[in-house]
Amino acid sequence: MASPTCVMKFGEKGGATGYLVGQENRGLATMFVMMNAARLGVGIQGVGVAECATQRALAYAKERRQGKSFAANGPPGMSPIIEHADVRRMLLTMKALTQAARMICFATAREHDIGHRAADEKTRQAALSRAALLTPLAKAFSTDIANEVASLGVQVHGGMGFVEETGAAQYLRDARILPIYEGTNGIQAIDLVTRKLPLDGGATVTAYLAELAEIIGNVRASNRPEFGHMPERLTQALTGLQTATLWMAMTLQSAPEAALASATPFLRLMSLTAGGAYLAKGALAEDPASPRVAIARFYAENILPEAESLAEAVQSGADSVLVDAHGAVFA
Amino acid sequence: MASPTCVMKFGEKGGATGYLVGQENRGLATMFVMMNAARLGVGIQGVGVAECATQRALAYAKERRQGKSFAANGPPGMSPIIEHADVRRMLLTMKALTQAARMICFATAREHDIGHRAADEKTRQAALSRAALLTPLAKAFSTDIANEVASLGVQVHGGMGFVEETGAAQYLRDARILPIYEGTNGIQAIDLVTRKLPLDGGATVTAYLAELAEIIGNVRASNRPEFGHMPERLTQALTGLQTATLWMAMTLQSAPEAALASATPFLRLMSLTAGGAYLAKGALAEDPASPRVAIARFYAENILPEAESLAEAVQSGADSVLVDAHGAVFA
C-alpha cells in the first residue's frame, strides 16, 4: 500500500490543455460513474493500509522485548511485548477492526457483481440497491478504522513508531487522506441517511436488517460456550440499530436537519453492527479453537458495546448539535 | 504549540561526555522526580495542541463556503461550512473534548498545589494522593483526545487539511508523540489500576467517586430544562464507573492479568465521567444561554454515552484479550 497524494499545479509554463470527457454540461454526472466505483475502491484502500499496519505492528511486538509479562515462564530476561495484555488488546483491536471492514467491503463488492451479472432482472435490481446501501459504509467505516488502526500501529511501536525507520508513521499519513477524498466521510453519512435509507421505500434497509437479525439469531441458537458474551452483545447492537433506523426514518420527515446531525454516529452504528454480524457468521463455520472465533468474540465483547452508545447519541444527541444555531459557542 | 521531537545521535565526532545526575545507581528514582511532573506537563501539551487545532478549524469553517445549509436564509450563494450539521458536530466534539481534558489537568494541578502549600499535613497528604490518582488521567486522556481532536481538525479542513498550507496536519503530527512519551498511555492505565486505585487502601478513589456523585446529584437536583439528557447520561456514566471500579478492585486480587487487560478502557471510562462531571459543574454556575451549558450538554448527550460501553468492555472484555494466550490469532 502507498498513497501518491500530492499537490499539483497545472499551467505554470504556458498553460494546460483541457479535454472534454462525456457531454458538455454533464461533467458532474460523468464524474459520478468513476466516483461510485471509487468509493468502494477507497474503502478497500483503507482495509489495505490497516492490514499493512497490523502486520508490521504484529511483527514488531513479537521481536521487541520490554518488562516481564504474566505469561513469562520461559527463559530469564524480558518478554516480547506481545505478551503484555495491553499490547494484545491493541493488536486484537487492529485485527478485529480490519477484518470487520474487509467483510463489509467484500459484501458490497459481491452485491455489485450480482447486480451486474445475475440472470434475473429482479435479483440484479435488489443487489444494486443493496450495494448502494452498503457503499457509504464500505467507504467511511473502512477509512475511519484505517486511521484508528494505523494510529494503534504507531503506539505498538512506541518511540520507534513516531520516527521514520519502522514505516509505522507512514501508514498513518497514508490513511489520513482516505476519510477526505471521494466524498468526505460526513458526506457518506448524509448519503446513507438521506438517499440510501429511503431506497425502494425503505425495503432495501429493511431486508438488510432482517439478514443481520437472521445471522444473530443463528449465533444465539448455536449455544456455543466459546462465543462468550457474543450473542448478547450482537443482540444489543442490533436492537440499537433497529431503534436508531426507525428514529432516522421518522426524523428525516419531521426534522431533517436533526437527521443530518446524527448521520455520522448512525453510519458508525450500522457499520459496527454489520461488521460484528459478518465476523460472527464466519465464526459459526469454524471450530471452537479457530482464530476467527477468537477475533469475533473479542470484537463483540470489546468493540461492539460502542453500538449501544451510538444508538443513544443518534436518538438524543441531535438537539445539542443544533441548539446553538446562531450561537455563542462558536463566537 | 510546537513539538521539537526528533532523532538525535550523540558521540559521532569523538565521543560524548556523560554527567552523573544524583547518586550513583539511583538514576531511575532520580528521573522520576522529573517524570511525575512531566506527565501532567504532557497532558497540558495535549490540551494545548487540541486547543490550537480547534481554533484553527473553527476559523476555517467560518470562512470556507460549500453547499447550502438548512439554516441558510440570508443572501444567495453557498453557506460557510460551519452551518452544516455534520461540521458543527465535529467542531463541538473538538471543543467539548478539549475542555474536558483541560478541566482534568487543572483539577490535577490544583491538588498538586494544595499538596505542597496547605498548612495542614492531613490536607496535604489527601491532596497528593488525589493528584497521584488523577495524573494518569491527565496524561493519557488529554493526549488521546489531542489526537482525536487534531484528526477532526484535518477533517474539517477537507483536502486543505491534508496538504500543508493550513497547518492542520502539523497539529496531528505534533499530537502523535504525546501518547508515547513520558510513559505510554498503556503504562498510565496500568499505573492507574495497579498503583493508584489501591492508594490509602482505596480511600483516595472512594473519596473521588463520592465527589463526582455529589456534582452529579446537584445536576439532577437543579431540574434545569436546558440541560436536556445531561442528568441521566451523567448518572449512567457514574454507575458504570462505580461498577467497573468495584470489578477492578476485586479482579486485581483474583485475576491480576485480567485487570491489566481492562486497564485502558477503565482509564477512558474514568476520564470521560470526570470530564462530564467537571463540565456539568461549570454549567451549573452559568445562565441557561451560556456556551458552557451548550458544551456540557453536547458532551453529555453525544460523547458520554461511550462510558456505558466502556463499563461493559472493562467487565466482560478481558477474557477475550487473554483467551489466545499462546495462540493462533497471532501466528
Side-chain angles (χ1 to χ4, degrees):
Chain A
M1 285 302 307
S3 166
T5 309
C6 62
V7 178
M8 294 199 293
K9 281 189 187 172
F10 294 105
E12 286 200 309
K13 294 184 179 168
T17 309
Y19 298 90
L20 183 66
V21 178
Q23 281 177 275
E24 210 168 350
N25 293 323
R26 297 285 302 153
L28 200 66
T30 304
M31 188 192 68
F32 263 96
V33 175
M34 177 279 287
M35 195 69 115
N36 281 329
R39 287 179 173 181
L40 177 56
V42 173
I44 297 283
Q45 220 179 338
V47 172
V49 172
E51 178 63 31
C52 290
T54 304
Q55 288 185 17
R56 197 170 289 219
L58 187 54
Y60 185 78
K62 289 178 178 175
E63 183 187 291
R64 161 80 167 150
R65 288 171 180 271
Q66 186 68 54
K68 190 90 180 171
S69 76
F70 270 83
N73 50 12
M78 294 195 286
S79 311
I81 60 171
I82 196 171
E83 290 186 10
H84 295 300
D86 189 69
V87 175
R88 298 179 82 82
R89 170 179 288 281
M90 289 192 276
L91 292 168
L92 287 164
T93 302
M94 296 172 78
K95 273 198 162 275
L97 286 174
T98 304
Q99 187 61 8
R102 179 182 285 118
M103 293 177 103
I104 289 171
C105 286
F106 283 3
T108 311
R110 178 174 176 275
E111 300 298 333
H112 270 291
D113 288 350
I114 296 172
H116 289 108
R117 299 290 177 151
D120 169 37
E121 164 70 14
K122 210 179 139 197
T123 307
R124 285 203 302 276
Q125 274 311 318
L128 288 176
S129 290
R130 170 74 66 90
L133 176 71
L134 294 183
T135 296
L137 276 60
K139 196 277 178 181
F141 180 68
S142 303
T143 59
D144 280 339
I145 70 95
N147 280 272
E148 295 163 34
V149 168
S151 188
L152 282 171
V154 173
Q155 193 69 21
V156 169
H157 283 81
M160 288 303 292
F162 189 73
V163 298
E164 293 301 329
E165 287 98 319
T166 61
Q170 185 63 51
Y171 292 132
L172 182 53
R173 284 197 296 275
D174 289 350
R176 195 60 198 77
I177 189 63
L178 306 177
I180 295 171
Y181 64 21
E182 308 303 353
T184 64
N185 287 2
I187 292 290
Q188 303 301 321
I190 291 169
D191 177 53
L192 172 64
V193 164
T194 62
R195 292 205 203 100
K196 304 305 173 60
L197 291 188
L199 272 179
D200 309 317
T204 301
V205 69
T206 302
Y208 188 62
L209 294 186
E211 185 177 308
L212 297 181
E214 193 189 335
I215 296 171
I216 293 167
N218 292 340
V219 172
R220 294 179 70 88
S222 73
N223 278 322
R224 289 174 57 168
E226 70 274 15
F227 282 2
H229 298 274
M230 203 198 302
E232 66 206 73
R233 294 286 178 257
L234 282 167
T235 304
Q236 288 167 338
L238 180 68
T239 304
L241 176 59
Q242 288 165 331
T243 319
T245 306
L246 184 58
W247 181 92
M248 270 293 175
M250 295 189 302
T251 307
L252 266 173
Q253 294 165 46
S254 62
E257 200 182 7
L260 296 184
S262 286
T264 287
F266 181 80
L267 184 146
R268 176 103 180 169
L269 165 61
M270 189 164 165
S271 305
L272 281 178
T273 308
Y278 290 142
L279 289 175
K281 189 178 177 185
L284 275 170
E286 301 277 338
D287 291 336
S290 160
R292 293 183 74 180
V293 172
I295 290 290
R297 182 179 163 190
F298 173 84
Y299 181 97
E301 292 182 351
N302 290 279
I303 295 173
L304 201 51
E306 192 189 328
E308 282 181 273
S309 318
L310 291 163
E312 282 185 356
V314 165
Q315 294 172 75
S316 70
D319 285 351
S320 55
V321 176
L322 304 173
V323 72
D324 177 60
H326 307 284
V329 172
F330 296 131
Chain B
M1 286 303 307
S3 166
T5 308
C6 63
V7 178
M8 294 199 292
K9 281 190 187 171
F10 293 106
E12 286 199 310
K13 293 185 179 167
T17 309
Y19 299 91
L20 183 66
V21 178
Q23 281 177 274
E24 211 168 348
N25 293 323
R26 297 284 301 154
L28 201 66
T30 303
M31 188 191 69
F32 263 96
V33 175
M34 177 279 287
M35 195 68 115
N36 281 329
R39 286 179 173 181
L40 177 55
V42 173
I44 297 282
Q45 220 179 338
V47 172
V49 172
E51 177 63 33
C52 290
T54 304
Q55 289 185 18
R56 196 169 288 219
L58 187 54
Y60 184 80
K62 288 177 178 176
E63 182 187 292
R64 162 78 167 151
R65 289 171 178 273
Q66 187 67 55
K68 191 92 179 170
S69 76
F70 269 84
N73 50 11
M78 293 195 287
S79 311
I81 61 171
I82 197 172
E83 290 186 10
H84 295 300
D86 190 69
V87 175
R88 299 180 82 81
R89 169 178 290 282
M90 289 193 276
L91 292 168
L92 286 164
T93 302
M94 296 172 78
K95 273 198 163 273
L97 286 173
T98 303
Q99 187 61 6
R102 179 182 285 118
M103 293 179 103
I104 290 171
C105 287
F106 283 3
T108 311
R110 178 174 176 274
E111 300 297 334
H112 270 292
D113 289 350
I114 296 172
H116 289 107
R117 299 290 176 152
D120 170 37
E121 164 68 14
K122 210 179 139 196
T123 307
R124 286 202 303 275
Q125 274 310 318
L128 288 176
S129 289
R130 171 74 67 89
L133 176 71
L134 294 183
T135 296
L137 276 61
K139 196 279 177 178
F141 180 69
S142 303
T143 59
D144 280 339
I145 69 95
N147 280 274
E148 295 163 33
V149 168
S151 187
L152 282 171
V154 172
Q155 193 70 19
V156 169
H157 283 80
M160 287 304 291
F162 189 72
V163 298
E164 293 301 328
E165 287 97 319
T166 61
Q170 185 63 51
Y171 292 132
L172 182 52
R173 285 197 295 276
D174 289 348
R176 195 60 198 78
I177 189 62
L178 306 178
I180 295 171
Y181 64 22
E182 309 300 355
T184 64
N185 287 1
I187 292 291
Q188 303 300 321
I190 291 169
D191 177 54
L192 172 64
V193 164
T194 62
R195 292 204 203 100
K196 304 305 173 59
L197 292 188
L199 271 180
D200 309 317
T204 302
V205 68
T206 303
Y208 188 63
L209 294 186
E211 184 176 309
L212 298 181
E214 193 188 335
I215 296 171
I216 293 167
N218 292 339
V219 173
R220 295 179 69 88
S222 74
N223 277 321
R224 289 174 57 168
E226 70 273 15
F227 283 1
H229 298 275
M230 203 198 302
E232 67 207 71
R233 294 287 177 255
L234 282 167
T235 305
Q236 288 166 339
L238 180 68
T239 304
L241 176 59
Q242 288 165 332
T243 319
T245 305
L246 184 58
W247 181 92
M248 270 293 175
M250 296 189 302
T251 307
L252 267 173
Q253 294 164 45
S254 63
E257 200 182 6
L260 295 185
S262 285
T264 286
F266 180 80
L267 184 147
R268 176 105 180 167
L269 165 61
M270 189 165 166
S271 306
L272 281 177
T273 308
Y278 290 142
L279 290 174
K281 189 179 177 184
L284 275 170
E286 302 277 339
D287 290 337
S290 159
R292 293 182 75 181
V293 173
I295 290 291
R297 181 178 164 190
F298 173 83
Y299 181 98
E301 291 182 352
N302 289 280
I303 296 173
L304 200 52
E306 192 190 328
E308 281 182 275
S309 318
L310 291 163
E312 283 185 354
V314 165
Q315 294 171 76
S316 69
D319 286 351
S320 55
V321 176
L322 304 172
V323 72
D324 177 58
H326 306 282
V329 171
F330 296 133

